[in-house]
Amino acid sequence: MEIFHTAEVLSRDEIAHVQSRRLARTVKRAAKSPFYKARLAQTGVDPDSITSVDDISRLPLTTKDDLRESYPFGMLADEHRELVRLHASSGTTGSPTVVYHTDNDLRTWADLMARCMFMAGIRKDDVFQNMAGYGLFTGGLGIHYGAERLGCLTIPAGAGNTARQLKLIRDFNVTALHIIPSYALYLAGVVAEQGMDPRDLPPRIALIGAEPHSEEARRRIEEMLGLKAFNSYGLSEMNGPGVAFECEHQDGMHLWEDSYIAEILNPETLEPVAEGEVGELVMTTLTREAMPLLRYRTRDLTRFIPGECACGRTHRRIDRIAGRADDMLIIKGVNIYPMQIEQVLLAVPEVAQNYQIVLHREGFIDQLTVRVEIKEEFFVEDMRALGSIQKRIAGLLRNELLVTPRIELVEAKSLPTSDGKASRVVDMRDKQG
Amino acid sequence: MEIFHTAEVLSRDEIAHVQSRRLARTVKRAAKSPFYKARLAQTGVDPDSITSVDDISRLPLTTKDDLRESYPFGMLADEHRELVRLHASSGTTGSPTVVYHTDNDLRTWADLMARCMFMAGIRKDDVFQNMAGYGLFTGGLGIHYGAERLGCLTIPAGAGNTARQLKLIRDFNVTALHIIPSYALYLAGVVAEQGMDPRDLPPRIALIGAEPHSEEARRRIEEMLGLKAFNSYGLSEMNGPGVAFECEHQDGMHLWEDSYIAEILNPETLEPVAEGEVGELVMTTLTREAMPLLRYRTRDLTRFIPGECACGRTHRRIDRIAGRADDMLIIKGVNIYPMQIEQVLLAVPEVAQNYQIVLHREGFIDQLTVRVEIKEEFFVEDMRALGSIQKRIAGLLRNELLVTPRIELVEAKSLPTSDGKASRVVDMRDKQG
């Protein structure tokens, strides 16, 4: 078998050894941050007492709210001088989250990403087109650094502009892509519309991920674009892409256990589930310098796939994400909390008390519509005035969420009343089949 | 004096020596590309005969059209396997241009960029926010790699979303920015509108450039944002940013002569102008492996500023760009040729024969409006139908140019007839004063 790095085939004993050594170092480092210094003290954990991966259950859990509350500097375990990058989540009204990186952190991230790409069959000779948005979104720069590390000719195409994407693919004989599933389906539609035969397009591999999609959607992408599509798992708190990826067998995603300790816990009892059962994925960074995270609750539901993988890699595989343990929505690769939408809407003077967030599915892909009640005095017959309110709300939500939901304005008191944020989310996806 | 690299203070003799050595190597390397192999043979230049910087005048000139005609692979002097990046210009209908980089090329580029930033006063301790668009536009990744090389905590904010930009600036105590001048003036306007005192904002340095702007615009940016703004020069054919930058004295831009040979030629006679006179800047790469360029005609008009700089750096300074020797327009940092606009318009069925490209200035910044004649049968009173044509044209132009010009639809035969592309460009900038 071909591998990118010898770490991919460590024995399980060796992995446990590496994890123990790195966990001990990580906890000591984390204890330098204001947040963990206090948290470890509160929970009575002496950082020096953590010497083995078996000690992990003694460590406190970390939540998204902990990250929000310690924004912007509370999780920082590094002297400012060594930092070279930060990525922050969207949002100007809510509390965003931020992840910091040292130069070593970026190098480790690029190495892990290059391993993932190699595992999916991408080689130095491939021409790689990165169709994710760059900037603060980790999917752009994260994948980009990995592709350059692997040594691919890398085209930083960014998101959107389909005519140009197709021109780049053809002109430079692009053999591998990174693309979010919803855009892959759209691109495939354009290819079909233009009467092109997907077998005439050079790409043979696509990396997909970053948003929920079904196995059926993956097969559809593969068929319509004439390539193999590899599923991936990542989250910005754990760097972004590069956490877990499928190998050639496309049967679960190998999670790099020399860089992360992964636990699957029952989200209610917070105890480990039985081997192979679904629970909440909880992750600890093992190599991050600037901002180590201990037992971070991802809120993503998955399970470890039992048994060994035919590819020979020893790192355990997680299954396709089965859902979320909280109310977070993922639309076009972007994480969205209903709270963010509420905060934006309530700051608009024309908006009445009530709103509704409707999730539906179009062509395998989740879409978001926000229904907004408008106060009686503004809900006039003048379409132009309403259009301008609609446009303004769309702009404010785009700035906050970084995706543009559809906006429907409705009369005051026309939506069903509800008494919680979560109950304002209407999920039409299952009803559509 | 503090410098980033000892090359900045080489004696003039040492610079000439480095240039001679690197030029000889560059010509040999260029001769491996299909384009230069043929061009050098045609012009009877034996690559081995080029041994000194004084031989430069014997080399053939290279033009933008040469790059277009050799698209996509004709300028490539490297085995494909060593390439790790390409940047391409906009355009799906015209012939774009492309620049390739090896890993060494990216490293050299990042080093030059880091030198520029250091020269403008930025240090490892600074928090640096890059407000340029990422992706194929070189201003994003080019500056980004330089900032990480220098060791700044780098925020890849990307373009747009002013509320978020300001939040990042304040939350992370950003001390240095990269921002295009038009957006800097817009941002300054928002700061003023919100009643903020610019002295309360942490940034002390802004890197500006990428689009024409006056000295008055720079002073306005400095005053409104309460910082020092440094002018820069770069073009995608010479990597992008990192070619020439102002030092603390803000009196001309030091051009890195250990990496580029710069000549100022009379654009008609193609002979060197007298010392200190304005002419066309012609540049030769000295360190690029993947795609060396010999005597590339930038079409930018400038002059060498005579005398030594008080900062102690020995690399000559070029003056603010005085104009263009061709019909290229630069709008919001993007290069636009009238031909590109024509190609898009003529493919739209509703468009009649004639159109007009109007350049005007708003708040020191160049803006673009395209007036388009619509065929009689489509020019109806139905505002919605016209609005939809307008929207479609705007979308097509945005995809082609990567900026969105204003579109005005007018009746057929209402625009003055003209007989050339260039004469369709109406320049209102000087009339506005």
Side-chain angles (χ1 to χ4, degrees):
Chain A
M1 70 182 288
E2 281 186 292
I3 51 170
F4 183 75
H5 195 279
T6 51
E8 296 170 44
V9 290
L10 292 174
S11 71
R12 292 302 309 174
D13 276 356
E14 287 168 325
I15 288 176
H17 181 75
V18 168
Q19 287 188 330
S20 293
R21 188 160 43 85
R22 291 183 172 173
L23 178 63
R25 196 175 58 191
T26 292
V27 174
K28 283 190 196 76
R29 181 140 195 148
K32 291 186 192 172
S33 73
F35 172 80
Y36 280 117
K37 192 180 171 185
R39 178 65 59 95
L40 291 169
Q42 274 159 24
T43 46
V45 178
D46 174 5
D48 290 331
S49 73
I50 304 296
T51 58
S52 152
V53 62
D54 300 327
D55 297 324
I56 189 120
S57 59
R58 291 177 38 224
L59 290 169
L61 293 155
T62 308
T63 64
K64 184 104 173 172
D65 279 340
D66 291 330
L67 260 71
R68 289 203 186 102
E69 284 158 20
S70 62
Y71 176 90
F73 301 117
M75 291 276 179
L76 202 47
D78 197 281
E79 290 177 63
H80 178 97
R81 276 183 64 84
E82 297 308 316
L83 304 177
V84 294
R85 174 97 61 85
L86 70 79
H87 284 279
S89 66
S90 67
T92 52
T93 54
S95 283
T97 57
V98 56
V99 174
Y100 296 93
H101 300 276
T102 64
D103 202 37
N104 279 338
D105 289 338
L106 292 186
R107 206 166 357 224
T108 310
W109 182 10
D111 281 342
L112 291 176
M113 196 57 239
R115 264 194 219 177
C116 292
M117 294 175 68
F118 192 97
M119 181 161 63
I122 302 177
R123 298 290 178 273
K124 188 176 163 57
D125 288 336
D126 278 296
V127 180
F128 181 79
Q129 186 159 322
N130 188 7
M131 297 159 88
Y134 279 66
L136 289 166
F137 176 58
T138 56
L141 287 169
I143 298 264
H144 181 92
Y145 275 58
E148 285 187 359
R149 170 73 183 85
L150 184 52
C152 295
L153 170 51
T154 306
I155 306 180
N161 201 340
T162 305
R164 194 177 186 212
Q165 300 280 7
L166 284 169
K167 180 171 170 62
L168 292 167
I169 285 172
R170 280 184 289 224
D171 289 355
F172 298 108
N173 197 30
V174 169
T175 50
L177 305 173
H178 172 225
I179 187 166
I180 64 171
S182 53
Y183 190 59
L185 286 165
Y186 174 78
L187 186 80
V190 173
V191 167
E193 258 173 43
Q194 298 188 356
M196 284 182 265
D197 185 337
R199 283 163 302 186
D200 294 341
L201 288 176
R204 59 187 187 83
I205 292 173
L207 310 181
I208 58 175
E211 65 183 358
H213 64 282
S214 60
E215 185 60 26
E216 197 186 352
R218 182 242 289 272
R219 294 298 164 207
R220 183 87 156 227
I221 290 168
E222 292 191 325
E223 197 183 294
M224 289 182 78
L225 289 174
L227 44 69
K228 288 263 268 181
F230 292 87
N231 202 359
S232 64
Y233 176 73
L235 64 166
S236 60
E237 294 83 355
M238 296 291 132
N239 293 345
V243 174
F245 242 80
E246 286 183 333
C247 66
E248 69 214 75
H249 299 290
Q250 297 184 319
D251 182 21
M253 299 173 278
H254 290 280
L255 188 148
W256 300 122
E257 294 182 273
D258 57 330
S259 259
Y260 301 99
I261 294 173
E263 305 168 82
I264 309 271
L265 304 186
N266 177 318
E268 306 298 327
T269 65
L270 300 174
E271 292 297 321
V273 298
E275 180 71 22
E277 279 187 12
V278 171
E280 179 178 342
L281 180 64
V282 171
M283 296 189 72
T284 299
T285 66
L286 290 177
T287 49
R288 207 153 66 195
E289 296 180 342
M291 189 176 140
L293 285 179
L294 306 180
R295 305 190 83 201
Y296 180 72
R297 293 188 65 176
T298 68
R299 313 312 303 252
D300 285 318
L301 301 176
T302 185
R303 67 184 187 110
F304 280 122
I305 294 177
E308 287 168 20
C309 182
C311 80
R313 287 179 186 82
T314 49
H315 299 249
R316 283 183 296 176
R317 290 163 294 161
I318 55 169
D319 204 349
R320 185 181 283 280
I321 301 304
R324 292 279 305 171
D326 67 4
D327 60 354
M328 187 180 87
L329 314 170
I330 305 181
I331 302 294
K332 292 178 186 162
V334 176
N335 300 347
I336 295 172
Y337 289 89
M339 178 191 64
Q340 290 179 282
I341 296 175
E342 174 163 312
Q343 281 174 325
V344 168
L345 294 181
L346 296 190
V348 176
E350 293 91 345
V351 169
Q353 293 309 313
N354 216 350
Y355 66 93
Q356 214 176 37
I357 296 168
V358 185
L359 270 177
H360 45 107
R361 192 166 283 156
E362 279 178 26
F364 308 106
I365 296 301
D366 294 351
Q367 302 281 354
L368 187 67
T369 295
V370 181
R371 293 196 185 123
V372 188
E373 284 187 3
I374 296 296
K375 287 179 187 157
E376 213 173 324
E377 61 266 41
F378 297 104
F379 203 82
V380 284
E381 287 302 302
D382 181 355
M383 285 306 291
R384 219 166 353 161
L386 277 181
S388 126
I389 295 173
Q390 191 177 27
K391 226 168 149 179
R392 182 149 40 88
I393 293 175
L396 290 167
L397 283 172
R398 187 186 56 237
N399 280 350
E400 171 67 24
L401 309 174
L402 306 188
V403 294
T404 314
R406 256 177 247 163
I407 308 296
E408 290 175 16
L409 302 187
V410 299
E411 282 180 80
K413 296 180 192 156
S414 66
L415 293 174
T417 52
S418 56
D419 37 39
K421 271 168 234 158
S423 62
R424 284 205 167 98
V425 177
V426 181
D427 193 338
M428 308 281 287
R429 292 173 300 177
D430 290 335
K431 284 153 203 150
Q432 296 173 291
Chain B
M1 70 182 290
E2 280 187 292
I3 51 172
F4 184 74
H5 195 280
T6 52
E8 296 170 45
V9 290
L10 291 174
S11 71
R12 292 302 308 171
D13 276 356
E14 287 167 328
I15 288 177
H17 181 73
V18 168
Q19 287 189 328
S20 293
R21 187 160 45 83
R22 291 183 172 175
L23 178 64
R25 195 174 62 192
T26 292
V27 174
K28 284 191 195 74
R29 182 138 196 153
K32 291 186 191 171
S33 73
F35 172 80
Y36 280 116
K37 192 180 173 186
R39 178 64 60 93
L40 292 169
Q42 274 161 24
T43 46
V45 177
D46 174 4
D48 291 330
S49 73
I50 304 295
T51 57
S52 151
V53 61
D54 299 328
D55 297 324
I56 190 124
S57 59
R58 291 176 41 223
L59 290 170
L61 292 155
T62 307
T63 65
K64 183 102 174 174
D65 279 341
D66 291 330
L67 260 71
R68 288 204 185 101
E69 284 157 23
S70 62
Y71 177 90
F73 300 116
M75 291 278 180
L76 203 47
D78 197 279
E79 289 178 64
H80 178 97
R81 276 184 64 84
E82 298 307 316
L83 304 176
V84 295
R85 173 97 62 85
L86 70 77
H87 283 278
S89 66
S90 67
T92 52
T93 56
S95 284
T97 57
V98 55
V99 174
Y100 296 94
H101 300 276
T102 64
D103 203 36
N104 280 337
D105 289 338
L106 293 186
R107 204 164 357 222
T108 310
W109 182 11
D111 281 342
L112 291 176
M113 195 58 238
R115 264 194 220 177
C116 293
M117 293 174 69
F118 191 96
M119 182 160 63
I122 301 177
R123 297 290 178 273
K124 190 177 162 55
D125 288 337
D126 278 295
V127 180
F128 181 79
Q129 187 160 322
N130 188 7
M131 297 160 89
Y134 278 65
L136 289 165
F137 176 58
T138 56
L141 287 170
I143 298 264
H144 181 91
Y145 276 58
E148 285 187 0
R149 171 73 185 84
L150 183 54
C152 296
L153 170 51
T154 305
I155 306 180
N161 201 340
T162 305
R164 194 174 185 215
Q165 300 280 8
L166 284 169
K167 180 171 170 62
L168 292 167
I169 286 173
R170 280 184 288 225
D171 288 355
F172 297 109
N173 196 29
V174 169
T175 51
L177 305 172
H178 172 225
I179 186 165
I180 63 171
S182 52
Y183 190 58
L185 285 166
Y186 175 76
L187 186 80
V190 172
V191 167
E193 258 172 43
Q194 297 189 355
M196 283 182 265
D197 185 336
R199 283 165 301 184
D200 294 341
L201 288 175
R204 60 189 186 84
I205 291 173
L207 309 181
I208 59 175
E211 65 182 358
H213 64 281
S214 60
E215 185 59 27
E216 197 185 351
R218 182 241 289 269
R219 294 299 163 206
R220 184 86 155 227
I221 290 168
E222 293 192 324
E223 196 183 295
M224 289 181 78
L225 289 174
L227 43 68
K228 289 262 270 181
F230 292 86
N231 201 1
S232 64
Y233 177 73
L235 65 166
S236 60
E237 294 83 353
M238 297 290 130
N239 294 344
V243 174
F245 241 82
E246 287 182 332
C247 65
E248 68 211 77
H249 298 289
Q250 297 185 319
D251 181 21
M253 298 174 279
H254 290 280
L255 189 148
W256 299 121
E257 294 184 273
D258 57 330
S259 258
Y260 301 100
I261 294 174
E263 304 168 83
I264 309 273
L265 304 185
N266 177 318
E268 305 299 326
T269 65
L270 301 175
E271 292 297 322
V273 298
E275 180 71 23
E277 278 187 12
V278 171
E280 180 179 339
L281 179 65
V282 170
M283 295 191 71
T284 300
T285 65
L286 290 177
T287 48
R288 206 154 63 195
E289 295 180 342
M291 188 175 141
L293 285 179
L294 307 179
R295 304 189 84 201
Y296 179 71
R297 293 188 63 177
T298 67
R299 313 313 302 254
D300 284 318
L301 302 176
T302 185
R303 66 184 187 109
F304 280 122
I305 294 177
E308 287 167 18
C309 183
C311 80
R313 288 178 186 82
T314 50
H315 299 250
R316 282 183 296 176
R317 289 162 297 160
I318 55 170
D319 205 349
R320 184 181 283 277
I321 301 303
R324 292 280 303 172
D326 67 4
D327 60 355
M328 187 178 87
L329 314 171
I330 306 180
I331 302 293
K332 291 179 186 162
V334 176
N335 300 345
I336 295 172
Y337 289 90
M339 180 189 64
Q340 291 180 282
I341 296 176
E342 174 162 313
Q343 282 174 327
V344 167
L345 293 181
L346 295 189
V348 176
E350 293 90 346
V351 169
Q353 293 309 314
N354 215 350
Y355 66 93
Q356 216 178 36
I357 297 169
V358 185
L359 270 179
H360 45 105
R361 192 164 284 154
E362 279 178 26
F364 308 104
I365 296 300
D366 294 352
Q367 300 282 354
L368 187 68
T369 295
V370 182
R371 292 195 184 123
V372 188
E373 284 188 2
I374 296 296
K375 288 179 189 158
E376 213 172 324
E377 62 265 43
F378 298 105
F379 202 84
V380 286
E381 289 301 304
D382 181 353
M383 286 306 292
R384 219 165 355 160
L386 278 181
S388 127
I389 296 174
Q390 191 179 27
K391 225 169 152 178
R392 181 148 42 87
I393 293 176
L396 290 167
L397 284 172
R398 187 188 53 238
N399 281 350
E400 172 65 24
L401 309 174
L402 307 189
V403 292
T404 314
R406 254 176 250 165
I407 309 295
E408 289 176 18
L409 303 187
V410 299
E411 282 181 80
K413 296 182 192 154
S414 66
L415 292 174
T417 53
S418 56
D419 37 39
K421 271 168 235 156
S423 63
R424 284 207 167 96
V425 177
V426 181
D427 193 338
M428 306 283 285
R429 292 173 297 178
D430 291 336
K431 284 154 202 148
Q432 297 174 287

